[in-house]
Amino acid sequence: METSKVIHAIYTDDDVLMSAVKKVRAERYHIEEIYTPFPVHGLDKAMGLAPTRLAITAFIYGLLGLAVAVVMMNYIMIDDWPQDIGGKPSFSYIENMPAFVPIMFELTVFFSAHLMVITFYLRSRMWPFKNAENPDPRTTDDHFLMELAVQGNGDELENLLKDTGAVEINVIDKTD
């Protein structure tokens, strides 16, 4: 097991955290992770993270749901068990499509929503019975934690973090 040192800088205000992230990035330090009790708007952009592709997967999952709805309704209502409902013919899918629109919409939303939740949990590596990776329990209540790797620059990094408004700075040995 390899150990490395990281600095945990703790902040009590999200606006102070945002300005600290900008100052730390301007000094060319790499921020490993930031833990917050709630989503902070613009933090991903300030950290320089790439935009997420989850919206693309949501669209693909919606198309999958739409395809499943079309194939399912064509098989059930046209091929397997055609029924005369309200005097409407069941000779082809196209003739009955207006009646199928609500089902197509619902399955599009159903597939997109459920598969997005599963994708989010898998992508975030948050599966059942997983131990929490949160380094400080206060970040689930009212504190913000910025984690930075120490590579021989510990003192100047600590001074920079103090200048940015960190209320607490801890150097931790992190085991990989």
Side-chain angles (χ1 to χ4, degrees):
M1 284 191 162
E2 186 179 322
T3 61
S4 58
K5 290 189 183 286
V6 293
I7 289 182
H8 288 171
I10 297 177
Y11 298 87
T12 55
D13 184 64
D14 57 332
D15 292 328
V16 174
L17 174 73
M18 281 295 287
S19 65
V21 167
K22 291 174 185 172
K23 288 177 187 173
V24 168
R25 293 233 333 132
E27 293 291 327
R28 303 266 186 233
Y29 289 108
H30 175 68
I31 300 171
E32 296 287 330
E33 188 66 70
I34 294 181
Y35 299 90
T36 64
F38 53 83
V40 178
H41 180 70
L43 185 60
D44 53 342
K45 188 174 181 181
M47 288 179 64
L49 299 177
T52 180
R53 294 184 303 262
L54 286 176
I56 297 168
T57 59
F59 180 73
I60 292 169
Y61 294 153
L63 289 178
L64 177 66
L66 180 64
V68 167
V70 168
V71 169
M72 178 188 75
M73 289 181 299
N74 186 55
Y75 175 73
I76 293 171
M77 298 300 291
I78 307 301
D79 296 338
D80 186 44
W81 197 282
Q83 299 177 43
D84 185 5
I85 300 173
K88 294 179 181 166
S90 57
F91 302 125
S92 73
Y93 180 83
I94 290 296
E95 291 175 316
N96 289 297
M97 195 174 75
F100 296 155
V101 168
I103 298 166
M104 294 183 325
F105 172 77
E106 291 298 331
L107 279 179
T108 299
V109 172
F110 179 86
F111 270 67
S112 185
H114 285 79
L115 292 176
M116 279 307 299
V117 168
I118 292 168
T119 300
F120 173 75
Y121 283 139
L122 291 175
R123 184 73 178 103
S124 300
R125 296 186 180 120
M126 295 186 339
W127 35 79
F129 311 111
K130 182 178 187 268
N131 292 329
E133 294 179 3
N134 195 346
D136 192 329
R138 294 178 293 176
T139 60
T140 62
D141 188 21
D142 62 349
H143 285 67
F144 304 85
L145 187 142
M146 184 190 311
E147 183 177 277
L148 299 106
V150 177
Q151 297 165 342
N153 54 3
D155 293 334
E156 66 182 59
L157 186 53
E158 282 187 52
N159 291 333
L160 173 66
L161 293 170
K162 284 178 189 170
D163 292 342
T164 62
V167 295
E168 184 179 327
I169 298 172
N170 301 315
V171 179
I172 309 290
D173 286 329
K174 189 173 184 179
T175 307
D176 292 333

